[in-house]
Amino acid sequence: QVQLVESGGGLVQAGDSLRLSCVFSGASLSDYDMAWFRQAPGKERVFLGGFYRIIGATLYADFVKARFTISRDNERNIIFLQMNNLNADDTAVYYCAVSRFGRAGSDPEEYESWGQGTQVTVSS
């Protein structure tokens, strides 16, 4: 079974930037599609963006595309989420997820493997 471990979260101030990492193990990341989600207290898990092998491109939710950038290092099996100009609404637990079936998109149920999450807190 594959494993994902997020890191890089913490307490930042509005306007700051933050880079999250997700270390993937148990298989080759190049054989998986990957995505980032976040979940604020009392709210549902929300899709942020993902990289998909079949199109060789990253797709983003409209509300984050201008500020968030997803990348991957297949040699080191690491997934990144670069977040710029953070605001208080970005406060949430951030998760990385992967799928090997080539059909995943924005629905969390389409991803079979998840990390434990990393907390991002943005003060105003």
Side-chain angles (χ1 to χ4, degrees):
Q1 188 173 19
V2 301
Q3 183 178 116
L4 302 98
V5 180
E6 300 96 333
S7 63
L11 175 63
V12 298
Q13 295 184 350
D16 286 351
S17 297
L18 199 60
R19 190 193 197 195
L20 306 183
S21 299
C22 175
V23 177
F24 176 88
S25 62
S28 176
L29 184 58
S30 63
D31 294 328
Y32 287 75
D33 297 325
M34 50 76 68
W36 284 93
F37 294 79
R38 72 184 185 190
Q39 187 167 19
K43 298 183 178 180
E44 296 184 352
R45 194 162 298 186
V46 176
F47 173 79
L48 302 175
F51 184 88
Y52 303 97
R53 295 163 290 162
I54 194 167
I55 61 174
T58 303
L59 303 177
Y60 297 92
D62 289 341
F63 74 96
V64 303
K65 187 175 182 179
R67 297 185 296 118
F68 292 7
T69 302
I70 293 171
S71 60
R72 61 194 284 166
D73 186 330
N74 285 340
E75 292 187 0
R76 294 186 290 164
N77 285 345
I78 303 176
I79 308 162
F80 301 102
L81 175 63
Q82 177 68 44
M83 302 185 292
N84 298 324
N85 195 24
L86 290 164
N87 60 70
D89 292 334
D90 296 318
T91 295
V93 177
Y94 285 72
Y95 299 89
C96 60
V98 298
S99 175
R100 68 182 185 276
F101 300 116
R103 67 171 185 83
S106 60
D107 188 346
E109 295 183 355
E110 297 168 336
Y111 297 84
E112 68 268 22
S113 299
W114 292 81
Q116 84 290 344
T118 185
Q119 176 72 48
V120 174
T121 302
V122 185
S123 61
S124 301

